[in-house]
Amino acid sequence: MTVEQLRTQYAALLKHADERDGLWTVDVEAAHLRALLTALAAHFDYPEDLTCVDEGDALRVLYRLYATASGQVLHVNVRVPRDDAQLPTVSDLWRGYEWHEREVFDLFGVVFTEHPDLRRILTWEGFQGHPLRKDFQPDADDADWRIPEQTDQDIMDLLQRDA
Amino acid sequence: MPLRDFRLPEFDAPEVILPPGELEHETTIVNMGPQHPSTHGVLRLVLKLDGETVLRLVPVIGYLHRGKEKLAEQRTYTMIIPYTDRLDYLASMYMNLGYVRAVEQLLGIETPERGKYLRTAVAELQRLASHLLWLGSFALDLGATTVFLYTFREREIVVDLFEKLCGARLTYNYMRFGGVAADCPPGWVDEVRDYLDLQQARLAEYEAILTDNPVFRVRTEGIGIISAQEALNYGLSGPTLRGSGVAFDVRKADPYDAYGELDFNVITAQEGDCFARYRVRMDEMRESLNIVRQCLPRLQVPGEVSAKLPRVIKPPAGEAYARVEAPRGDFGVFVVSDGSASPVRLRFRSPSFANLSALDHMCRGMKLADVVAILGSIDIVLGEVDR
């Protein structure tokens, strides 16, 4: 596959596609993300990274995929509004994204719909806010950093669910 | 008796007669950690057990989360280097390397020849030190105390070598944009050569204790199997991925520093169990010795070790993603710059985080005691998982 093929084949889904120094970068609307990634999953078999950048007016979620057969790297950018940050999960296509999506949810507040277990991962249950957003105030006067007593109810629910 | 025929002796357990239908579905929930000697740091596991068999395992992480990515947004580029030391603190050189390579990409600078070879030699010595520590603690987890003492004896030599380079023994802060902080002191190359010869012989000693040890084999063979396809799908990397037969190594796939000019093999094993991961790491150590040996003649040639850079670094606006093959796998650094002296966003893709996410999959159906072996075999460092 070349970046031209990618562009023509998925023209309806892509907003923009280019290549620089061997890295393919594509931009996609949130509505088409799931369709595009489902189509690409057969070729890009390795979920290398998933992260997010706070760009002020929007949150940019970046999927970095790698194809072990061809050695090609692909960056998929998708922008979501910060007050209604929602994306469909792709953790069923790549299991490795399950924790990465939890991390982006925890630190940026992007909600991945249909995610099997969308809980905070690096901060604790009951933590307020999403620390890697630029408007997060760690030194606000009313901030309460005491860690609440852990009930583990979320984990117990999880273990009960697939009994 | 050939090893493969070895079986633990059968014993006559008294027959327990249970009333039909009872106790069949009784499950136990066991908490392990965050303070537990075999979780290698502050990892907590919640296990659902049927007798001794693991039905489900839920890792709970974040106990060591220090918000490094957030902190970095308020530091200058140079000030961030020591922060990266504290990610994977058993392979600080590699954490430095991944970060400086990402910023080098933004700046568009090249490392001088000598700097490249010094960086590569140091990186492979770091891999040796890290794998030695892993080997010792993995054997200790399985009850073999001797190996731990042996490997720490040799790791000490590497740590001494690093101390002579940069003055520190754990958090080195040695890599710089476009090179390293300081050239190696006189006589350092000879000391490295002596170490390589010694280590080559000592590796055979460790193997004599472990590889053909029946107890070690029974504890690791067929334990924690993950197939090549599943390993890729989980985004595993490093020896954990190569132990499942996938020959993905960033040093070959995306060569950096001097790796493109060196001759070495990517080690794989097919079985995908704990023993395969052990064998991959053992052979990788031999390859590392081989790589360092190839670097040494180039370190006899004097030259610059670092590119000239202004005191305050302000990379042009843009973004860069660099990855290196750290001892635990594919360590990626993503940096976004707006042209100011601090990054807008700095992201660390830590291999241990992805490797740990497959632990539940590897442990299901295994015995509780095997969880310790499997966790040891994927070799996580919590500083890097939690960041």
Side-chain angles (χ1 to χ4, degrees):
Chain A
M1 201 175 6
T2 65
V3 76
E4 275 70 39
Q5 282 171 342
L6 189 80
R7 200 177 291 151
T8 47
Q9 203 173 338
Y10 304 109
L13 301 176
L14 295 180
K15 252 174 35 182
H16 170 78
D18 70 13
E19 177 179 4
R20 200 161 55 87
D21 302 328
L23 170 73
W24 297 356
T25 307
V26 302
D27 287 11
V28 63
E29 296 280 359
H32 298 315
L33 176 80
R34 176 98 199 157
L36 179 75
L37 292 184
T38 309
L40 292 174
H43 186 67
F44 291 94
D45 50 352
Y46 187 70
E48 190 162 9
D49 204 353
L50 166 57
T51 187
C52 185
V53 183
D54 187 350
E55 293 187 332
D57 45 344
L59 299 172
R60 167 162 66 107
V61 179
L62 167 69
Y63 296 77
R64 182 182 162 96
L65 295 164
Y66 179 69
T68 45
S70 63
Q72 185 59 49
V73 180
L74 173 73
H75 281 191
V76 178
N77 286 312
V78 51
R79 286 179 174 78
V80 287
R82 57 187 309 135
D83 48 356
D84 180 30
Q86 267 197 32
L87 281 175
T89 183
V90 290
S91 60
D92 53 331
L93 302 173
W94 297 277
R95 291 293 303 275
Y97 276 162
E98 193 176 316
W99 277 26
H100 282 106
E101 285 181 350
R102 280 179 66 186
E103 186 183 324
V104 171
F105 162 71
D106 185 2
L107 303 180
F108 285 94
V110 179
V111 175
F112 291 90
T113 50
E114 306 280 309
H115 188 284
D117 177 29
L118 197 65
R119 289 181 290 126
R120 287 185 178 272
I121 186 164
L122 292 179
T123 62
W124 55 89
E125 282 306 312
F127 186 92
Q128 294 300 313
H130 303 287
L132 278 179
R133 285 195 179 199
K134 293 284 182 190
D135 55 6
F136 179 75
Q137 295 289 333
D139 45 6
D141 289 340
D142 56 347
D144 181 4
W145 297 116
R146 279 170 303 182
I147 300 179
E149 196 165 316
Q150 297 291 291
T151 57
D152 283 344
Q153 198 52 52
D154 47 341
I155 299 172
M156 294 309 151
D157 289 347
L158 191 72
L159 289 174
Q160 285 308 320
R161 203 168 65 199
D162 42 30
Chain B
M1 181 176 69
L3 252 172
R4 76 182 79 84
D5 297 333
F6 177 83
R7 293 285 177 275
L8 284 176
E10 299 275 328
F11 66 96
D12 293 327
E15 198 178 338
V16 182
I17 299 161
L18 297 173
E22 277 185 40
L23 289 175
E24 270 178 18
H25 299 289
E26 194 153 313
T27 56
T28 320
I29 289 175
V30 171
N31 180 70
M32 192 170 153
Q35 280 86 27
H36 189 281
S38 72
T39 56
H40 299 270
V42 279
L43 170 68
R44 181 175 161 221
L45 303 172
V46 184
L47 301 118
K48 187 174 173 181
L49 302 171
D50 178 8
E52 262 195 279
T53 310
V54 179
L55 297 177
R56 176 84 200 257
L57 176 157
V58 182
V60 184
I61 62 172
Y63 293 95
L64 209 57
H65 181 57
R66 293 145 295 171
K68 295 219 172 282
E69 294 171 3
K70 185 74 176 176
L71 282 168
E73 290 171 10
Q74 285 142 41
R75 302 290 185 275
T76 66
Y77 283 92
T78 317
M79 284 162 80
I80 296 167
I81 303 174
Y83 281 84
T84 64
D85 281 328
R86 277 89 179 158
L87 289 167
D88 178 353
Y89 40 77
L90 301 179
S92 305
M93 288 287 190
Y94 246 107
M95 300 296 109
N96 286 180
L97 187 60
Y99 169 65
V100 300
R101 280 195 50 76
V103 179
E104 281 167 11
Q105 263 186 38
L106 272 181
L107 293 165
I109 52 170
E110 274 290 309
T111 311
E113 197 71 3
R114 185 178 168 79
K116 274 188 190 174
Y117 275 91
L118 194 52
R119 263 161 53 154
T120 306
V122 164
E124 288 307 314
L125 286 171
Q126 179 73 85
R127 188 184 313 281
L128 278 160
S130 172
H131 280 6
L132 284 173
L133 196 143
W134 162 80
L135 179 63
S137 57
F138 179 52
L140 194 64
D141 283 345
L142 299 178
T145 326
T146 319
V147 187
F148 182 76
L149 303 173
Y150 283 12
T151 60
F152 264 67
R153 184 182 60 189
E154 272 76 70
R155 179 177 176 271
E156 193 66 18
I157 305 175
V158 184
V159 172
D160 285 343
L161 285 168
F162 284 168
E163 189 179 7
K164 284 173 185 162
L165 273 183
C166 59
R169 294 171 61 81
L170 191 71
T171 50
Y172 305 112
N173 185 18
Y174 181 58
M175 304 289 174
R176 290 291 183 277
F177 310 122
V180 294
D183 203 344
C184 54
W188 191 78
V189 173
D190 296 319
E191 285 178 56
V192 173
R193 190 174 290 113
D194 292 344
Y195 163 70
L196 297 181
D197 295 338
L198 176 84
Q199 188 63 68
Q200 191 87 40
R202 295 276 165 87
L203 281 177
E205 267 182 45
Y206 314 148
E207 291 225 65
I209 300 177
L210 289 177
T211 309
D212 286 341
N213 180 323
V215 178
F216 182 73
R217 294 288 281 262
V218 171
R219 289 294 311 271
T220 55
E221 270 179 321
I223 303 297
I225 298 177
I226 186 160
S227 74
Q229 209 209 334
E230 287 162 339
L232 276 173
N233 200 257
Y234 268 103
L236 304 190
S237 56
T240 315
L241 178 65
R242 292 191 286 274
S244 293
V246 182
F248 172 56
D249 187 321
V250 181
R251 292 174 292 174
K252 283 281 188 203
D254 194 2
Y256 48 94
D257 289 339
Y259 285 108
E261 299 155 40
L262 299 170
D263 180 29
F264 63 97
N265 299 319
V266 176
I267 308 293
T268 57
Q270 298 303 320
E271 296 82 1
D273 58 4
C274 292
F275 190 63
R277 296 189 271 276
Y278 158 80
R279 280 197 350 254
V280 167
R281 287 202 185 84
M282 293 308 282
D283 286 341
E284 245 180 49
M285 282 200 258
R286 296 202 169 82
E287 283 300 317
S288 292
L289 292 174
N290 173 22
I291 294 171
V292 181
R293 223 170 249 131
Q294 290 176 51
C295 292
L296 292 185
R298 305 298 289 266
L299 293 182
Q300 308 281 17
V301 185
E304 288 291 319
V305 291
S306 200
K308 294 271 176 290
L309 279 179
R311 218 177 173 75
V312 179
I313 290 160
K314 289 186 177 176
E319 60 185 57
Y321 194 106
R323 49 181 179 171
V324 291
E325 184 68 27
R328 279 153 199 84
D330 175 2
F331 175 64
V333 179
F334 177 61
V335 53
V336 181
S337 164
D338 61 353
S340 68
S342 310
V344 173
R345 170 86 172 107
L346 182 65
R347 148 87 181 157
F348 300 112
R349 186 260 185 218
S350 68
S352 295
F353 182 83
N355 291 353
L356 184 62
S357 71
L359 185 69
D360 176 32
H361 180 89
M362 291 185 196
C363 287
R364 286 191 192 193
M366 294 283 145
K367 296 273 186 277
L368 178 58
D370 295 332
V371 173
V372 174
I374 297 167
L375 185 63
S377 79
I378 64 174
D379 188 21
I380 54 158
V381 166
L382 267 304
E384 187 197 37
V385 173
D386 291 346
R387 283 157 285 149

